[in-house]
Amino acid sequence: MDTSSAAGVLHPYWPRDLLIPTYVANDRSMSEILVFLFSVSGVFLLVTWLITGRRGATGRLGTWRRLAVCWFAVCGFIHGVIEGWFSLYYDIIPGDQSFLSQLWKEYSKGDSRYVIADNFTVCMETVTAWLWGPFSFWAVFAFLTNKPYRFVLQLIISLGQLYGAVLYFFTEHRDGYAHSELGHPIYFWFYFVFMNVLWIVIPLALIVDAWRQMSTAQAHADITESHKSKRN
């Protein structure tokens, strides 16, 4: 339901008295925006899944590893394109009718910090877009070509994503969840909670995975070095 801001501009955001003088309502529906987001993400996932199913020089990747690479491909798209747009145009998004600006205005119904260019949100999304976006595509390349640093990339990206997501939730918690309609099934639980908690749960699993892979590699290297020392 649209409400009036202090300047008399109708907008659907919380808190209700939020001042957004340049706001222009979307002319794209919620369904159009969500279909675009999930369709493109689905294409990235499907294409990556098919590519990772091919047998390489070191054999075929397992199901878990293929899913992890698909995750990084989707992250590359979301961080680099969606969040990259926000990092570049955050100051004009409220009044802009470009498709990606409308996507952000729709998402802002679940977190209005995006439509008021909140300092933390701008800084966090800029780091995410320009570091974790390219790094995610790099990770896809590293796993497809079996680079020895692939799990280092996985650990770095996942730690960065986890840190950003924890700060994202914690700063809003300290604000008393003032930037969303608390408890709303779509705007709060789906947009704000579900679409962001993925960047806590999945990175945590990938951090543990990278930890195990790197620990195993180091243990093997230590044993090899020990055997060399004994021969000498």
Side-chain angles (χ1 to χ4, degrees):
M1 177 179 174
D2 288 353
T3 57
S4 179
S5 73
V9 179
L10 295 177
H11 68 71
Y13 306 112
W14 288 71
R16 294 306 200 190
D17 59 354
L18 201 61
L19 178 62
I20 315 174
T22 62
Y23 174 72
V24 176
N26 282 353
D27 57 25
R28 300 274 188 173
S29 68
M30 177 179 70
S31 58
E32 286 181 273
I33 292 169
L34 292 181
V35 165
F36 165 80
L37 177 63
F38 290 112
S39 294
V40 177
S41 297
V43 168
F44 270 88
L45 192 153
L46 178 61
V47 170
T48 309
W49 178 261
L50 293 175
I51 292 173
T52 56
R54 298 176 180 176
R55 181 178 296 277
T58 57
R60 187 177 285 114
L61 295 175
T63 300
W64 160 253
R65 193 62 55 210
R66 292 175 70 189
L67 288 173
V69 176
C70 288
W71 163 255
F72 285 123
V74 173
C75 284
F77 161 65
I78 292 176
H79 295 334
V81 178
I82 306 296
E83 292 167 292
W85 182 273
F86 177 81
S87 75
L88 292 173
Y89 302 110
Y90 62 86
D91 55 338
I92 66 167
I93 281 176
D96 186 47
Q97 292 295 76
S98 300
F99 190 87
L100 291 181
S101 291
Q102 293 197 49
L103 182 152
W104 280 111
K105 284 191 282 185
E106 175 63 30
Y107 176 76
S108 294
K109 293 174 184 177
D111 187 350
S112 64
R113 290 180 293 179
Y114 284 88
V115 84
I116 59 172
D118 168 77
N119 279 336
F120 165 76
T121 307
V122 171
C123 294
M124 183 268 293
E125 292 293 1
T126 299
V127 171
T128 299
W130 298 102
L131 278 183
W132 311 139
F135 270 48
S136 292
F137 285 129
W138 188 11
V140 172
F141 168 77
F143 277 101
L144 290 177
T145 54
N146 207 39
K147 297 296 183 184
Y149 55 77
R150 59 194 184 276
F151 288 105
V152 176
L153 277 178
Q154 177 174 309
L155 181 61
I156 292 171
I157 296 165
S158 300
L159 280 171
Q161 291 174 327
L162 177 63
Y163 183 65
V166 169
L167 286 180
Y168 177 76
F169 281 117
F170 193 40
T171 50
E172 181 61 6
H173 172 71
R174 285 183 56 82
D175 282 339
Y177 301 100
H179 300 98
S180 181
E181 184 178 354
L182 188 63
H184 192 285
I186 297 176
Y187 302 142
F188 181 78
W189 287 111
F190 183 63
Y191 285 8
F192 177 70
V193 176
F194 174 74
M195 293 181 72
N196 289 287
V197 80
L198 292 176
W199 273 270
I200 290 181
V201 175
I202 297 176
L204 267 176
L206 291 174
I207 288 168
V208 172
D209 175 56
W211 178 288
R212 288 175 175 171
Q213 295 288 341
M214 294 170 70
S215 296
T216 299
Q218 185 62 55
H220 179 73
D222 290 343
I223 292 171
T224 302
E225 185 64 29
S226 175
H227 289 166
K228 286 182 180 178
S229 299
K230 288 178 181 178
R231 290 195 205 104
N232 295 334

